[in-house]
Amino acid sequence: MISAPKSVEIAIIGAGVIGLATALRLAGEGREVLVIDPNEPGSGASFGNAGTIAEYACMPVGNPGVLRALPKLLLDPDSPFSLRWAALFQLAPWLVRFVRQSLPAATRANALALAGLLAEALPAWGEMVQEAGLQDLMRRNGCLYVYRRDIDFAASEGGRALRAELGVHQQVLTADEVAALEPRLATFEAKGLYFPDSINVSDPRTVMARLAAAAAAKGAQFMRASVTGLAAGACGVRLSGPGLVIAAQKVVIAAGARSRPLAAQAGDRIPLDTERGYHLEFPTTAPLLNRPVCPVDLGFYMTPMDGRLRVAGTVELGGLNKPPNPRRLALLGRGVRQFFPDIGKPSSQWLGFRPSLPDSRPVIGPSTKSPDVIYAFGHGHLGLTLAPVTARWVASLIAGRSLPSAADFSAARFG
């Protein structure tokens, strides 16, 4: 860590996986980079996620199936998609946009845009694995959705068809084929959906630490500080905060769920809100699963990691400031015991904050008011997956290189 410089070429606000991947990319291109975050690099949602590099996940959160079920989902406190009713007034504008983006035409447009971005994910991760020395942390066993009820599998038909149209590699499995892949799972009688190309990581915290170390080895510097003020001018961007004043030629806002007020100061009203995500971890002497498994009706992932099983997911809308909801943690505990009744007590629990946009597309591109401020946030459930792709895009923007489909992820789409 360093003391505040008076000026820097590129300041990145946020040391999550997006900020770290971007710092690694820019420093590797010879840029002077300063990463600013009040916390340890990679200690937020980038640490606590399900650890999946989900190149298949082009279906937006908002879609006709979710829209049809939304009243039931929101009224059931034990559903995979819930909200804190005390936050309803604050969330109302976001929910109105979410409903609109869940209509068929919008869902298709959002899926097409995401599929184009996700097509770059595995090649981009291949590069970053080599750069940061992550080879021993990558598991290439695919990912499995399990449908324990025929009604849930039937409801997935539209998503399966759209993924097939967009070229996603997926395989429908019988219950016996699921059991062959995951013999320790409790048996069920419906079906599975297997994504054989998916990758997962064995320890997200170690991945983040190595990304930070690799960026530092290429010259990136890190500072523990909070940026609360941003002012773009004719000669760059002035950042300020407690004990902090920095002049940067370019600024990348990669602060995840805390990016909205900074974007507002840059001149854009982005409808960013927060999905509160939870995980529990259970120590294991031997892996219970061979790959991430998502029981679709429960809305979470069970991911084997080094010495433990992480149970991560569900969506709770409700902002950044409230403490963990014990009911959501209990929901994860009950859910995993449907598959592993003797799993025992969790060794840790966690609450983190996903940056969520109503259309499920991240914002990647310049501020509409200043080309010196570049947005790289709003990745929702795809931050880990899209980190190296976003880093490529940001580096191209700074270098003046053209980008495909830039309008699909521009802040201008919120008009």
Side-chain angles (χ1 to χ4, degrees):
M1 299 298 173
I2 63 168
S3 59
K6 292 183 179 180
S7 63
V8 68
E9 181 186 4
I10 301 169
I12 300 173
I13 307 173
V17 67
I18 303 296
L20 293 174
T22 302
L24 177 60
R25 184 82 184 195
L26 291 172
E29 293 188 1
R31 302 286 187 176
E32 180 193 19
V33 177
L34 173 65
V35 183
I36 309 169
D37 195 295
N39 301 307
E40 177 187 352
S43 60
S46 301
F47 150 74
N49 56 51
T52 58
I53 298 170
E55 91 298 336
Y56 55 85
C58 60
M59 283 300 294
V61 175
N63 59 69
V66 168
L67 185 58
R68 286 191 295 270
L70 194 60
K72 180 179 184 298
L73 289 171
L74 293 181
L75 290 171
D76 180 359
D78 288 339
S79 81
F81 191 108
S82 68
L83 63 79
R84 284 180 173 268
W85 287 100
L88 181 60
F89 180 77
Q90 171 195 333
L91 287 166
W94 188 95
L95 286 168
V96 169
R97 286 179 178 265
F98 179 80
V99 167
R100 291 173 179 166
Q101 293 299 322
S102 300
L103 296 172
T107 296
R108 181 176 180 82
N110 294 331
L112 287 168
L114 286 171
L117 207 58
L118 287 164
E120 302 179 44
L122 293 182
W125 260 100
E127 289 181 13
M128 196 164 73
V129 163
Q130 297 298 319
E131 284 186 90
L134 304 175
Q135 294 89 336
D136 61 312
L137 300 170
M138 314 308 288
R139 303 289 180 264
R140 303 176 184 274
N141 295 324
C143 178
L144 180 64
Y145 283 7
V146 293
Y147 297 86
R148 299 186 294 170
R149 304 178 302 192
D150 289 329
I151 189 172
D152 294 325
F153 184 74
S156 74
E157 181 179 1
R160 285 183 281 119
L162 186 52
R163 279 192 294 265
E165 179 186 338
L166 296 175
V168 174
H169 191 191
Q170 58 186 353
Q171 300 170 5
V172 174
L173 305 181
T174 65
D176 288 342
E177 289 169 328
V178 169
L181 284 178
E182 297 294 347
R184 298 174 190 85
L185 274 184
T187 58
F188 62 96
E189 296 302 326
K191 290 183 171 62
L193 190 63
Y194 181 45
F195 302 101
D197 299 333
S198 177
I199 300 171
N200 67 285
V201 302
S202 62
D203 194 320
R205 185 189 294 278
T206 304
V207 170
M208 299 309 131
R210 290 194 194 172
L211 287 175
K218 292 182 181 294
Q221 295 182 301
F222 290 79
M223 175 187 295
R224 290 278 189 95
S226 295
V227 177
T228 56
L230 183 152
C235 301
V237 186
R238 182 180 183 273
L239 302 178
S240 59
L244 177 74
V245 178
I246 294 175
Q249 295 175 32
K250 300 279 187 182
V251 167
V252 180
I253 299 178
R258 293 176 171 83
S259 297
R260 184 172 64 181
L262 294 168
Q265 292 181 63
D268 290 297
R269 297 183 62 183
I270 309 293
L272 182 74
D273 222 296
T274 306
E275 292 182 27
R276 296 156 55 88
Y278 293 84
H279 85 219
L280 295 175
E281 289 191 333
F282 298 84
T284 56
T285 54
L288 296 174
L289 297 170
N290 298 314
R291 58 189 52 78
V293 173
C294 173
V296 172
D297 58 309
L298 300 177
F300 60 69
Y301 280 80
M302 301 179 290
T303 303
M305 295 188 176
D306 288 343
R308 63 204 191 275
L309 181 73
R310 178 174 289 184
V311 183
T314 75
V315 170
E316 181 187 44
L317 303 174
L320 293 162
N321 300 318
K322 296 298 182 181
N325 182 348
R327 188 159 191 159
R328 305 305 292 175
L329 292 164
L331 181 67
L332 293 177
R334 290 196 303 274
V336 71
R337 288 185 179 88
Q338 294 182 37
F339 296 91
F340 303 107
D342 301 322
I343 198 168
K345 294 182 179 180
S347 56
S348 65
Q349 63 184 46
W350 174 87
L351 164 66
F353 306 105
R354 304 185 195 102
S356 184
L357 288 158
D359 58 7
S360 295
R361 304 185 206 175
V363 181
I364 311 172
S367 158
T368 61
K369 307 299 181 184
S370 171
D372 296 330
V373 178
I374 296 172
Y375 301 140
F377 61 83
H379 293 74
H381 298 247
L382 296 173
L384 184 69
T385 302
L386 290 175
V389 180
T390 302
R392 282 181 174 182
W393 278 44
V394 171
S396 293
L397 286 164
I398 288 175
R401 300 189 291 266
S402 61
L403 286 171
S405 307
D408 289 339
F409 303 95
S410 168
R413 74 185 192 265
F414 301 113

